[in-house]
Amino acid sequence: MKALMGKSGLMRSGLTVLLAMVFSLAVVPARADQTPAERAREIATALAKDPLYIDPAYKSGLPQNLRDAVRAKGEALEYPVYTIVLPLTPSDVFQGKETNVLTLVIDALRKPGLYVVTDGGQRFPYYKANDVPQLADPDDDRLRNARSHALEDTGYDAGPTEVVARFYELLAGPVLGPVDRKNTPVRQPSSSGSSDEGNGSTVTAIVIAVVALLVVLGLIIGLRRRGGSSRPRREKAFSIPPHVAQAVATERRRRLTQETTAELTTLGSELAALPSTEGAGLKHQQAALDAHHAAGKVLDASRDLVDLVGAMVLLDQARREYDQAVAIAAGRKVDAVPPLCAFNPLHGRASGRPTQVESDGTTVPLPLCAECRQALKRGTAPKSLPGEDGPYWHGDDLWARTFFGNLTDDLPAAVMRGQHRS
């Protein structure tokens, strides 16, 4: 009976996806000239009338009973819930990222509530609470835990709306603890190592400009308020507007893509012009070629900032191996160059000896920049490279499992085996 039910579930899921694909061919897609903000306003307008938005590409392929279940479970919660189901690809206006959808739709709708988005071809929901007092505690993991349990309960043959409905059902019940898994993702680390001074973090010009502008604006506002009423007032803490933060993040990704692509081309030409060597020189030359090839593979298929940084790390490894090969061919020695910071390679190179980082009873040595080492010494969380759900190391991909290659002997080989997508 269980086998028959499993086959039935798989057939149902497969039929749903097939119908969605067929009907999507007959639906007029979003206009190519739409901006991300315009598309977000379009979705927000629909959500104002119906808290469940399903893109036309999937509407005909989703049975009414599944839609009703999502609406009913969402309405049972004590706060507003907005659900978005739409196709996401790297070439769409949202760059295929659920976080872009959430940020821009919340900014367009301007209503409190729990916003949930899921790719109609996937089953993993993303969420963001906007001005919901019940979910305001940053240390409250009820959303994360409920989503994990929903994914566990529904099984891999369930569609996205089934997972979301179960997610809402669990949120309406007792608070759940984390899912008990054998391989728990690494959480916030603590340090038992020492701290050395070193290079500061690398900051792009656009971030400096935005921060400087906000500081000046804050000073002007503060001076004006001092000249007014002397009565003490409690003001809401200032924060960068979501659309500005999103613009900064998009520009950072664009610049990193441009710089990494340029380095890939430049280093490729240099490697092609490098004469063949023997012995240790040949070993470094081959290592540079392998890392360069792996970086190109990651860059071509990159879906988010973490992938881009993975390509950058591989290119940095290729460049260091290339410099060693050139030095050996010229009969000179090149000083070892420290690797990039394991917590956030965008911070720059590590300083001092590797730091012993403890997590769940395991201690691993990681190269860290001065800023991250100081943070661990103070007992605070380092400014990690952000992933889909918090620090990137909360994931279970190759970058998270190896801290961008620092816990494996051969990152390029792992990439060429496709492990960065497992």
Side-chain angles (χ1 to χ4, degrees), residues 62-102:
L62 281 174
Q64 187 63 44
N65 65 314
L66 295 182
R67 301 188 216 176
D68 292 341
V70 173
R71 288 192 182 94
K73 302 297 184 184
E75 291 172 357
L77 294 171
E78 54 184 355
Y79 39 81
V81 175
Y82 300 99
T83 311
I84 306 168
V85 181
L86 74 169
L88 289 169
T89 64
S91 60
D92 65 29
V93 294
F94 297 120
Q95 298 181 330
K97 291 183 66 65
E98 293 85 351
T99 52
N100 292 351
V101 179
L102 290 169

Side-chain angles (χ1 to χ4, degrees), residues 35-226:
T35 65
E38 289 172 341
R39 177 66 172 131
R41 283 196 294 270
E42 183 178 74
I43 296 174
T45 300
L47 287 173
K49 301 175 182 178
D50 183 349
L52 172 60
Y53 174 82
I54 301 176
D55 189 272
Y58 292 119
K59 268 189 176 180
S60 301
L62 281 174
Q64 187 63 44
N65 65 314
L66 295 182
R67 301 188 216 176
D68 292 341
V70 173
R71 288 192 182 94
K73 302 297 184 184
E75 291 172 357
L77 294 171
E78 54 184 355
Y79 39 81
V81 175
Y82 300 99
T83 311
I84 306 168
V85 181
L86 74 169
L88 289 169
T89 64
S91 60
D92 65 29
V93 294
F94 297 120
Q95 298 181 330
K97 291 183 66 65
E98 293 85 351
T99 52
N100 292 351
V101 179
L102 290 169
T103 298
L104 294 173
V105 170
I106 290 174
D107 192 49
L109 188 56
R110 298 183 180 277
K111 288 187 177 181
L114 174 64
Y115 291 73
V116 178
V117 62
T118 182
D119 184 341
Q122 304 291 332
R123 61 189 294 270
F124 193 78
Y126 291 75
Y127 57 78
K128 187 173 183 179
N130 181 50
D131 291 335
V132 180
Q134 299 91 328
L135 305 173
D137 186 355
D139 296 325
D140 190 346
D141 287 335
R142 71 177 67 188
L143 288 171
R144 184 199 306 272
N145 294 338
R147 179 177 60 182
S148 298
H149 280 279
L151 289 165
E152 290 288 322
D153 294 349
T154 52
Y156 289 99
D157 61 331
T161 53
E162 294 170 275
V163 177
V164 171
R166 180 57 177 161
F167 176 42
Y168 295 160
E169 184 179 16
L170 293 173
L171 284 175
V175 177
L176 300 171
V179 173
D180 184 17
R181 294 192 181 98
K182 291 183 179 179
N183 298 318
T184 304
V186 178
R187 298 299 174 187
Q188 178 177 325
S190 60
S191 171
S192 61
S194 61
S195 162
D196 295 330
E197 295 296 327
N199 296 326
S201 62
T202 303
V203 182
T204 62
I206 187 170
V207 175
I208 295 176
V210 171
V211 172
L213 178 61
L214 293 176
V215 170
V216 172
L217 180 61
L219 289 173
I220 293 174
I221 294 173
L223 289 173
R224 286 184 176 178
R225 286 178 176 168
R226 284 187 182 181

Side-chain angles (χ1 to χ4, degrees), residues 15-25 56-58 60-62 120:
L15 180 59
T16 300
V17 173
L18 179 59
L19 286 172
M21 293 174 63
V22 171
F23 282 108
S24 67
L25 297 176
Y58 292 119
S60 301
L62 281 174

